[in-house]
Every structure is written in C-alpha cells, then in structure tokens.
Amino acid sequence: MRVVGGASRSAGALQARLGGTDGPPRLGSGGGGMTTGPEPRPGAAMNESRKPMGAEMRAEARGGAGGGKGVGALMTAVRAGRASAVPALLDLLDTAARAEALAQLKALRTEARSWDWNRWEETARVRRALYVAGAGCHTGAAAAADWLGGRDLLSRRTEDGTLVLRVLTDRTAEWRADVAHRLAAKPAVAESSYGLIRRLVEGSGAAVPATDGYVLGWARAITDDKLLERLRTDPQTRVLVAHVLSMQETPDQLTWSGTNGSATHWPTALATLTREGLLDRGEVVDLCVARLLRGGRPRDLRFPMALLQLVPPDAEERRDRVADWIGMTADATSPVAGYAQKTLSGLALEGALPGGAFAEMTSGVLFRTEKKLLRTQLSLVNKVLAKHPKLAAEVLPVVADAFGHEDSEVQERALQVVARHLKAVDEQTCRELAEAASLLGPAHRSAAEAVFGGRLGEPERLPYEEILPPVPDPQFLPGPEGTLEELVEDLLVQRRSDSAVEYERTLDGLVRHAHKDREALASQLREAFADAYWQNADGFALHHDYDHFQHGPRGMDAVLASVLGKVKPERIEAGRNQPVPMTSCVHGAMEASHEIRIWEIAHLIGGGTLPLLLSTPTRHTGGIDPLELVRRLREYADAGLEPAPVDLGHALLRVRRQDPSAGRAAEEAEALGSTAGARLAAWLRSENPLEATVRFHPRKEKESGRWWLVDRILVETAKRPEFRKEFPKALHWLGGGLLPNARRCYHWEQVPERWATLLPADRELLAACLLSSMASAVDGDSARDVTGPLTLLAEGEGQVGRAVALLLAFGLGCRDADDRLRAVDALLVLASRGELDTRRVGRDLAWLLAERSMKPNRLADAARTAAATGAYRTVWTMLSEALPTLLEAEQPMRGLGELLAIAADCVERCGATGELAGLERHASARGTSQLVTQARRLRNALRQGTGHGKPETT
C-alpha cells in the first residue's frame, strides 16, 4: 500500500531507537516482550547494562578474556541472575570463549527446567540472564533466533530486549535482519517479541516482516489514545495495514477497540489517513473487498466491513466490482450480504446493472434463509421491473425458484411479484412459470390458479410417504489392543481425545499388557511419558511428599502412574474405598463410580493379576454383547481368578439384556459354575432391574431459588434391595441410594461421553441422570455442547419413557444450534426404530413453552430441520400436542406464528386432518400478522386433508 508523505527512517531516528535523544516517537515496547505501560527509555536501560561490575568480577573477566576465567565470570553472573552485567562480560570474550560459554549456558538452561516451583523468582532471574547471554554467544542467525524464541526464556521485560540489542551490535546488518525475520516467522513468539524484532529491523534496514505474529504485536503496541498519530508517523503502516486486511483472524484491537469515531477506533483512524492521502484509497477498497470475499467468522469481518463503510467505493468502483458484490450476496455473512445487496440495489435502480447480473444476484439471495434479505430482494425486483420491464424475461424465472422455498411467506411474496409482472413476458415464459408453480404449497394453489389460469396443470396427487432415516447398523469395536508399541501410540493419542470407547480400549490394553509383561510395559511408559507431571519431570519431586492424585485419578493417569509405582498405596486405597454420599447429585455419583473403578484398576494392575477387563464395551454405545461377556468370564474361570467387584458391576450394567443372544448367554453363564456366571445369568433374565422417576418443583419467582429448570428437577431412583446386595457399594446409588433433592452442582454444564456409556442398556435411567445437565442449555445462556450422549442413547437399548421424552424436549430447545441438531438426529433415529413416543415429547414441549422455560424460536428451528428431512407426520404429531396449550393461552407468546407455519407446512404435506384446540380463535381474528395468517393456513390445511399414506422408512 502506497504512503504519501509518511515519516522516513533516518540515522537520527535509528539513534533514538537505540538510545539516542533525537528521532520520531517509538512504537510499542522495545524489549523481547510487550508492555502495557510507557516504554522505558532505551538509553536508560542500556546505561544500566553498563553499570560498573564489582572489582573482583572485573579483574576475573579481564584476566580470563578468551579463556576459562572470563567464561566463569559470565556464568557466575548468569547464575546470579544479573542480566544487566552480561553485555559487558560478553565484550571481553572472544569467539572460542563464547562457544565454551554457550555449552555451559545450554546445560544451565536444562537444569533450570527441573528446578522446584519454590525457586520461581530465582528461575525467572536466571532465565533473563540466559536470554541475553545465549543471544550473544550464538554465531548463527538461525540458532540465535531459536534461542531468543524459546518459550522458557522468552522475556516480557523491555530492558531485556535492549540488552539483547547491546550484545548484537557487533553483528552485520544482514545477520540481524535474518534473526528479525526468523523471529517474526514464529507465530508463538513474534507477538511477544515485537519490540525486539522491530528494533532489529530498523537497525539493520531490513524489509518490514509482515507476519501475523508481528502484526499482532504491532496492533497491541500502538492501540491507545494516540493511535491516529502513531499510524500517521509510522513508516511501517502501509505494509502492516495491508497484511492486517489479509489475515484470516483479525487482531482483537482492530475488532473491539472503541466505538466509531473514538480515539482508539482503527477503522476511523485508517479512514482519516485515507482522506489525508497517506493511504491509497483505491487499494484500501480493494483490500477490504478481497477480505470480505474470503469470508470467515463475523468477528473477523467486522473490521474490513467497518473500514469499507467509512471509505466507500465511488460509482466507478461499484460498477467495476459487480461480480464481487454478487458473490457476497450469495455466500457472505448476513451483515456483509446486506451491504452488498444495498450496493447492487443502487446500481440496479440506476439501470447500471445488466439483466443477467441482476438475475444472478436475485438467484443467490433467494437461496439464503434470512427473511430480511429475501423480503428486501423481492421488493427490489418489484421496483426494478417497474422501471425496466424488459428485464422481466430474465428475472421472473429466477424469482419462480422461490416457489419451492421452505417458508410459505416467501412463496407468497414470490407469487405476488410474478403476478404483477407476468404481462411483460411472452407465452413460453408464462408456461415455464406456471410449471414452476407446482412447487408452491397447497395454501397457495388457489392464488396460483388465479394468476396462471389454464396454464396451471392439475397437481400430482401421490400417497404420502414418511421419510425416516434407516435404522443404524450396530457398530462393533475393534478387538483388544495389538502390540505394546501400538498401545503406547494409542495412549499418546488418547491424551488429546474425548472418545469414551477409545478410552475403554486403551484401559483394557494396559491391563492385558501388564498381565503379559509388566516390566516391558513399564519401560515403554517411562519413555513415552517422560514429561508427564506424575513422573515429576518438572521438578515436583523436590517438593516434599507431594501427592499428584489427591483430587482424583485424572482420567487414566493414575493407572499409568501405578504401573511405574508413582502412586502412593494409601492414595489408591482411599480412592477404592471412597463413599458415594446419599446427598450427592447424580453427576457426582456417576463420577465417583468411574473414579472408584479407575482406582480399582490402578490397585490390581501393579500385580498384573487381571488378564483383561470384563467391562470393556464391544459396541460404540458402550454395550457389551452377552456371549462376549460369558467368554471373558470363562477365561477368568479357567485361570482360577475371581473378577474385580467394580469391574464386574460395570460389566453387568453394560451387558445387552435385550440382545437376541441373551437367553443362550444366560444358560452358558450358568453352566460356568462360578459365582460371577450365576450373577450374569440372573441379571440377563431380569426385566426392569433399575428405574427412576422424574418430577419438577413448580416454577416460582427468580429470587425463590425455584426459577431455573436445573433447580427444580427431582430424580429419584427406585429402591432395589437385591441390587444393593449383589453390586459393590460404588454402584449402590443406582438402587435407590440418593436423596431426590433438586440441587445445582458443579457438574451442571458438563456432559462427558463416558456418562452415556455407563448405562447403555438402561436408557430411561440414563436419561434421568442427564436431565439436569441439559436443562441449563434450555433456559440458560451459557451451556452448550450438552447433547452429545443423545446419539448413543438413541442407539442404545432399554425402556423409553418420560425421562427420554424430556431429554429430547430439552435437546430440541437448546440454545446452541449444534445441540439442537443432535437432538433432531436422536429424535429421528428413535422414530425409525419405532421407539419414539412423539405425543409425550409434544406434551413436555407444551409445558416448557407455556412457562417460558423454552424459547419458541429454538423449537421452531429444530422442528423445521426435522421436517425438512421428510418426517412431516412425526413433526406434526409432536406439534399437535404442543400447540393447544399455547393457542389457548390468554396472551399469545411471541414466536407462536412461526411454530404454526411449520405445523401448517407439515399438515399440507402429510395430509393430516382434524381439529386443533384454540386454533379457530386466532384463525378467525382480524389482521394480517404472522400468527393470524398462519393460523388460517393451518385451519384450512386441516380441513382439506389429502389422505394418509403409510409411514415408511426410506
């Protein structure tokens, strides 16, 4: 980007940057890191670095220049953390001595990494000195940049950058430029080291390093009340502004700093520079348009959008970029598309937009979902065709594409536009438009007949067919882990994965390999997890008697550490025997059960007595096939081993009692002659061993503590004395061991996948346990990503009752769109399996909406998504139960009209008939509001049902 009259770099400016008294103001921090306060005067920091050394140290340095004593003096200063003394000591060392010192500096750096956290102040001082000394001892630019970019050494003090500049003054300009560009190329370093990089660039005369990290540091350094003046006098502005407008992620300072017109508002400042001629206006427009075309997150487009509005393109630029504007109207975010639509509207009304381009623009906009953009475009088409009737032949066929739009109101508006301008097209085009009118919904059939007359053919009446997704095929998990090397590789991957089934497989692999060769397993784990916190790799071993697992097993870390003997026996014993209090929440009970199981494995894996885990799932839902569990018990019996109690308890909870092979498996288990086999046989023959009841406190005022759903849910597990007798204490809560108190807990926004794999054979009980976690995403505004277990629950087994229906209702009303989408998937899977009680879901939606715990627009989005898959009858059945309560309310709720529109669409497509309580009151009311219009549409659709077709899975 060209700058007119920008400040130039001079010898005086450079002298000021490096500690002189003249020159333009500096930008940002001058050190290795960034500072938020005023930048210290470089000369002062450099003078500090030249303070007289002690007589003893000075004599030692002089006597050993180029030799061991000089190196010793340097290392003494570094170990003492005296960074300011380092430059003078380095001046006394020749190349060979610096190479000798470098080896010792590297060794000290490694040593400092293992120091105890109690020495953090000493560590910080030593690392500052290492930062400066290492920079001065490295001879290669690449090695020096790696040293200065080390995250453990990276300094955030301005004076440290000045000290580094001091020790690099003897290097060539090319060498310093190379270091600057290498640092700028490191994304994790460039922002923090902006001050140092900038002064290296200015001191060497290098090109501006336009990298994301450098720009982030630059933006942070100059964003203050003097932003405009800093940009005006900065010679790097032209290059860095151009790069800012090419970044995928816009710096925060440019997105959030100030309001329009404020001193810290970047778009205002850059617009001012453009008006002053310091920035080329045409290039600013080009860069903004190019960035908007690339798209991205709304927050990243906010800056180029604001700048383009403050530096608007002129008439010629608007005409030259027609293709760009059209692309934005089709694919950009709503604000950007709206801006482009407004720009093109002006051209179209002026007659400067060719018919083909206007048709292309209209096609792109009508493909979008935002109603405001659609209404604006159809209104624009009306105006343009009124002024330029000759464009009708090109534009009306595009408008007719909206006849198939999912929104009935859009269909109606599109038909009105076609009707108004139909006389401007020839007969052939009329017939084509009439043919497209077959896409219109039944509600618009009579209006279409009035427009097209005899050209409109008879509608094709086909039996309705409900389209549901195919019943998912079972997904079987791979067999046990293979080689030890494969297990270790999976363990390393598992550290960054949330997959519950992979977690279970690696746990089983650990047990199997510990049984086979514990020493080989320990050796591999010791090497692979050398940096793990429980190995005390970070120096915690020096801290007296520290217990890494005092707050829990931390996933499977306690098991890994136990293999290496890194867990205290008393900690394992306490973990195995921890209680599950009666006052615990259901989430706390699930977590405690999981932790006790992990502690049991950590206890037994040390001796290698377990040949395998009984509770490892065989299916992705967490379920275990009955015959496979029998095979595992047989392996235990053949080895003369008794199962671990908690492991066996989890295995029984996961076994598929409704599997076709359950009867045969029960007989084989009984034939084993073991206690565990008898328990499995009895468990497989039981029908409903576990149950839960869900109730709600009435909703009261917010101050009462009974306003939010999460504070009103009561989950009571049925008392099962026989269950508590047969199962370990860790699982007694499932048999009625918890008090049914409504309480908010610290788990309420957590829904880990492993919770769904605890009870894959008891969906109703699992759903009851998950309700309070999902409730916070319905009437709250913070929780998200809570419906993950719904997919596993829908594909699991066990009863489907009130709790599952409630969980689906909660999911359909969640705040987050992705959560709602997963709930829709679960709803349709249950419907395809014939297990969905659609009316019960609708009744729960009714009271949630009526008490304002759920927002109707969220349900409308979910219902529309489900209907769009072809499940119109399923959605109508659900809405037919939810709507009467809302229609009969004294004051109609906002958003009811949108729900009625979806219901009407479903009825028109599936041909349902009947009456809906409360509908006639709104359908017979006066007015043209969405509520009244859609109520009439729904009433007419129910009276003109086209017959029922048999629902089929397609």
Side-chain angles (χ1 to χ4, degrees):
M1 186 182 299
R2 179 168 56 87
V3 172
V4 183
S8 63
R9 181 167 58 246
S10 64
L14 178 59
Q15 181 182 3
R17 296 282 181 184
L18 297 179
T21 57
D22 299 320
R26 295 181 303 276
L27 295 181
S29 64
M34 55 193 177
T35 60
T36 55
E39 180 182 315
R41 186 169 56 89
M46 195 172 296
N47 289 337
E48 178 189 345
S49 71
R50 295 172 179 170
K51 288 179 181 179
M53 295 180 290
E56 180 181 348
M57 185 180 296
R58 185 168 59 251
E60 182 180 354
R62 288 174 179 169
K69 289 187 177 180
V71 172
L74 175 65
M75 294 307 300
T76 299
V78 172
R79 281 190 173 275
R82 293 193 290 270
S84 59
V86 169
L89 291 169
L90 280 175
D91 286 343
L92 303 174
L93 300 184
D94 57 21
T95 303
R98 293 190 182 200
E100 178 185 348
L102 182 60
Q104 296 186 38
L105 291 170
K106 290 179 178 179
L108 178 57
R109 180 183 181 182
T110 302
E111 178 188 338
R113 288 172 177 160
S114 65
W115 287 353
D116 183 71
W117 65 273
N118 285 325
R119 302 173 64 182
W120 67 270
E121 290 182 301
E122 177 188 0
T123 303
R125 290 195 303 270
V126 170
R127 284 177 172 169
R128 286 185 56 217
L130 281 169
Y131 180 74
V132 179
C137 289
H138 277 94
T139 56
D146 286 342
W147 184 273
L148 291 170
R151 298 304 298 270
D152 58 327
L153 299 180
L154 194 60
S155 175
R156 298 184 180 274
R157 296 172 63 102
T158 301
E159 57 267 31
D160 293 345
T162 303
L163 295 174
V164 169
L165 292 171
R166 168 73 176 84
V167 301
L168 298 182
T169 52
D170 59 337
R171 310 301 171 89
T172 65
E174 292 77 8
W175 191 95
R176 282 177 284 148
D178 192 6
V179 170
H181 279 267
R182 288 178 183 273
L183 287 173
K186 297 177 181 290
V189 175
E191 180 179 2
S192 299
S193 297
Y194 162 73
L196 173 61
I197 298 170
R198 170 125 194 178
R199 295 170 71 179
L200 284 171
V201 166
E202 293 177 337
S204 62
V208 179
T211 66
D212 287 3
Y214 185 77
V215 168
L216 289 171
W218 175 67
R220 185 184 296 273
I222 69 173
T223 302
D224 58 21
D225 291 342
K226 298 180 180 179
L227 173 64
L228 177 59
E229 185 59 28
R230 291 179 182 276
L231 287 169
R232 184 181 284 127
T233 58
D234 187 353
Q236 296 186 0
T237 294
R238 66 189 188 282
V239 177
L240 299 183
V241 167
H243 186 80
V244 162
L245 288 168
S246 70
M247 293 172 65
Q248 190 63 28
E249 295 187 11
T250 304
D252 290 339
Q253 288 73 22
L254 280 67
T255 302
W256 300 110
S257 56
T259 57
N260 189 8
S262 68
T264 58
H265 191 241
W266 273 77
T268 299
L270 294 180
T272 301
L273 295 182
T274 303
R275 288 193 297 271
E276 293 175 357
L278 295 175
L279 297 178
D280 185 272
R281 197 191 62 81
E283 291 187 30
V284 169
V285 171
D286 279 339
L287 288 166
C288 290
V289 172
R291 179 64 190 90
L292 294 175
L293 273 174
R294 286 198 303 276
R297 297 180 301 170
R299 57 93 55 201
D300 293 317
L301 300 179
R302 194 173 294 127
F303 167 67
M305 184 75 254
L307 182 55
L308 188 61
Q309 290 172 327
L310 293 174
V311 186
D314 57 29
E316 182 179 355
E317 289 169 333
R318 291 196 298 273
R319 289 192 296 270
D320 290 345
R321 292 175 172 82
V322 165
D324 295 338
W325 308 131
I326 292 176
M328 291 180 199
T329 58
D331 302 320
T333 60
S334 291
V336 176
Y339 174 84
Q341 184 184 48
K342 183 178 180 180
T343 302
L344 288 172
S345 297
L347 294 175
L349 293 173
E350 294 168 3
L353 191 63
F358 184 57
E360 183 181 359
M361 170 206 179
T362 302
S363 176
V365 174
L366 294 182
F367 191 73
R368 300 179 69 102
T369 58
E370 300 94 330
K371 291 184 179 180
K372 181 178 179 180
L373 292 176
L374 294 171
R375 289 195 296 265
T376 300
Q377 190 64 29
L378 291 173
S379 175
L380 175 65
V381 170
N382 255 333
K383 295 177 181 177
V384 171
L385 293 186
K387 294 185 68 174
H388 309 285
K390 293 182 179 180
L391 297 180
E394 285 185 275
V395 178
L396 286 186
V398 174
V399 174
D401 290 341
F403 290 167
H405 197 277
E406 63 181 19
D407 191 324
S408 175
E409 184 183 351
V410 173
Q411 294 182 14
E412 182 180 6
R413 286 174 178 265
L415 181 60
Q416 291 171 353
V417 171
V418 171
R420 183 170 300 176
H421 303 284
L422 190 63
K423 59 182 179 295
V425 299
D426 56 25
E427 181 62 24
Q428 178 61 32
T429 304
C430 282
R431 293 187 180 278
E432 292 174 358
L433 294 172
E435 184 178 350
S438 62
L439 299 173
L440 290 166
H444 306 302
R445 176 70 189 181
S446 58
E449 289 175 347
V451 173
F452 296 107
R455 304 186 188 95
L456 190 66
E458 286 296 319
E460 188 177 10
R461 298 183 182 274
L462 297 175
Y464 173 71
E465 181 181 8
E466 181 87 344
I467 300 176
L468 295 173
V471 176
D473 293 327
Q475 298 181 32
F476 297 98
L477 301 183
E481 291 282 355
T483 65
L484 182 55
E485 290 73 18
E486 290 172 340
L487 170 64
V488 172
E489 183 178 347
D490 287 344
L491 282 169
L492 292 172
V493 172
Q494 179 61 39
R495 297 174 78 181
R496 299 181 294 274
S497 171
D498 294 327
S499 172
V501 291
E502 288 302 319
Y503 176 88
E504 294 286 347
R505 287 189 67 242
T506 50
L507 264 181
D508 181 59
L510 281 170
V511 170
R512 289 175 183 268
H513 281 282
H515 180 70
K516 181 179 180 181
D517 189 344
R518 182 177 174 278
E519 291 303 320
L521 174 63
S523 176
Q524 290 276 4
L525 293 180
R526 190 174 292 108
E527 180 180 352
F529 294 90
D531 61 342
Y533 64 91
W534 43 264
Q535 289 252 49
N536 297 311
D538 57 359
F540 270 97
L542 300 178
H543 186 62
H544 179 65
D545 201 29
Y546 186 79
D547 184 357
H548 292 290
F549 300 104
Q550 60 182 317
H551 300 300
R554 298 190 177 188
M556 70 174 70
D557 285 1
V559 178
L560 297 173
S562 183
V563 174
L564 300 181
K566 296 288 186 180
V567 189
K568 299 176 181 180
E570 57 269 26
R571 172 54 57 198
I572 295 179
E573 196 63 21
R576 290 175 59 212
N577 296 305
Q578 64 178 293
V580 181
M582 292 183 64
T583 55
S584 173
C585 62
V586 290
H587 312 117
M590 285 192 284
E591 282 296 290
S593 299
H594 169 73
E595 290 187 2
I596 292 171
R597 175 175 175 242
I598 296 300
W599 285 121
E600 181 184 76
I601 296 171
H603 169 67
L604 295 171
I605 201 171
T609 55
L610 288 178
L612 53 87
L613 287 179
L614 296 173
S615 54
T616 304
T618 60
R619 303 200 181 199
H620 76 291
T621 59
I624 301 176
D625 289 291
L627 290 174
E628 171 60 21
L629 184 52
V630 172
R631 188 197 66 76
R632 294 174 185 176
L633 286 175
R634 185 178 293 114
E635 186 172 339
Y636 266 73
D638 292 344
L641 296 173
E642 287 295 325
V646 180
D647 183 35
L648 176 60
H650 275 77
L652 293 179
L653 290 176
R654 287 174 169 171
V655 71
R656 293 168 51 84
R657 299 192 305 275
Q658 297 179 2
D659 193 89
S661 65
R664 176 187 163 194
E667 294 175 0
E668 293 187 11
E670 200 167 35
L672 292 177
S674 64
T675 303
R679 287 183 59 189
L680 173 59
W683 184 256
L684 287 172
R685 289 165 179 158
S686 61
E687 292 186 1
N688 298 310
L690 299 173
E691 290 182 334
T693 303
V694 179
R695 294 178 290 121
F696 289 84
H697 285 297
R699 195 181 204 194
K700 299 181 179 180
E701 299 299 323
K702 284 188 177 181
E703 297 76 14
S704 67
R706 289 286 184 261
W707 173 269
W708 305 106
L709 283 169
V710 71
D711 295 322
R712 298 190 285 127
I713 297 175
L714 292 166
V715 176
E716 183 175 8
T717 54
K719 296 187 183 300
R720 293 288 188 268
E722 65 279 7
F723 178 89
R724 294 166 65 87
K725 179 180 178 181
E726 293 291 335
F727 279 74
K729 290 183 179 180
L731 301 172
H732 282 183
W733 63 275
L734 291 167
L738 297 180
L739 295 176
N741 292 333
R743 62 178 69 82
R744 186 183 294 249
C745 62
Y746 69 88
H747 311 89
W748 59 290
E749 290 188 4
Q750 305 172 23
V751 191
E753 186 180 293
R754 66 172 179 269
W755 287 359
T757 62
L758 174 63
L759 298 164
D762 291 281
R763 286 184 291 187
E764 187 68 4
L765 177 56
L766 174 62
C769 293
L770 296 177
L771 275 173
S772 56
S773 291
M774 203 169 294
S776 57
V778 179
D779 57 357
D781 289 325
S782 58
R784 61 179 61 213
D785 197 24
V786 297
T787 57
L790 272 178
T791 302
L792 299 179
L793 183 142
E795 298 179 15
E797 64 173 16
Q799 290 184 337
V800 174
R802 171 78 193 287
V804 172
L806 271 170
L807 203 65
L808 288 171
F810 281 8
L812 295 174
C814 278
R815 172 180 181 269
D816 186 62
D818 289 337
D819 278 327
R820 295 195 296 270
L821 185 59
R822 286 188 286 267
V824 168
D825 288 340
L827 180 94
L828 297 178
V829 167
L830 286 170
S832 69
R833 295 178 61 167
E835 298 173 336
L836 178 65
D837 189 341
T838 315
R839 295 189 180 279
R840 177 172 285 187
V841 175
R843 288 194 293 271
D844 284 323
L845 288 170
W847 70 262
L848 286 168
L849 289 165
E851 71 171 21
R852 302 298 199 269
S853 290
M854 180 182 291
K855 295 184 178 180
N857 64 316
R858 296 175 183 174
L859 173 60
D861 176 72
R864 186 183 298 109
T865 301
T869 67
Y872 294 103
R873 178 173 281 117
T874 300
V875 175
W876 163 244
T877 304
M878 179 179 72
L879 292 178
S880 67
E881 291 291 329
L883 288 172
T885 301
L886 308 180
L887 290 168
E888 293 175 334
E890 182 177 349
Q891 181 66 35
M893 70 179 345
R894 183 178 180 182
L896 179 56
E898 189 174 6
L899 287 174
L900 291 176
I902 297 167
D905 189 47
C906 291
V907 169
E908 290 167 356
R909 293 177 183 270
C910 74
T913 58
E915 297 292 331
L916 195 64
L919 180 62
E920 183 62 31
R921 165 193 163 197
H922 298 283
S924 58
R926 294 183 178 181
T928 58
S929 67
Q930 184 186 37
L931 174 60
V932 173
T933 301
Q934 296 303 329
R936 291 171 184 163
R937 178 188 168 200
L938 177 56
R939 179 191 62 184
N940 295 337
L942 287 170
R943 291 176 177 176
Q944 301 171 8
T946 58
H948 297 274
K950 182 180 179 181
E952 298 181 13
T953 299
T954 302

